[in-house]
Amino acid sequence: MAKIGTFKKVSGEFRGQITTLTLQLKAVRIVPDEAATGNAPTHRVYLGEVEVGAGWPKRGNDDRPYLSLKLDDPSFVAPIYAQLREGDEGEFNLTWNRPARHSGD
């Protein structure tokens, strides 16, 4: 998994940045959605005031919680699926993993 972002928890939301070869997004916020019900996302991802993604709580194989995020924008070829996991010293790391391709694709 490649680390593409770092976040800190501030006032109940995550604030940080996302950096890849083509993206340099600062002031990214991952905010709890208090109105979420059922299968709706529990978090919304914002760049400034623009919503660019959503998140759902999950648990890893090690039973540690993380947020599964889907980031999307009309300029993307496809959505980015990432995981926000707690790291060291109160920092949260955003990681991304390209899905395996099937042979013959």
Side-chain angles (χ1 to χ4, degrees), residues 7 14 16 18 25 27-33 41-56 67-72 80 82 84 94:
F7 289 80
F14 300 96
I18 299 172
L25 307 176
V28 178
R29 297 179 306 121
I30 303 170
V31 180
D33 185 345
T42 60
H43 290 74
R44 301 292 176 168
V45 183
Y46 294 96
L47 178 59
E49 297 301 315
V50 177
E51 186 175 336
V52 295
W56 295 261
L67 276 179
S68 176
L69 299 177
K70 178 181 178 182
L71 309 172
D72 206 356
I80 296 172
L84 185 68
L94 186 66

Side-chain angles (χ1 to χ4, degrees), residues 84-96:
L84 185 68
R85 299 175 188 271
E86 188 167 7
D88 297 330
E89 300 177 23
E91 185 172 88
F92 290 80
N93 298 311
L94 186 66
T95 57
W96 168 81

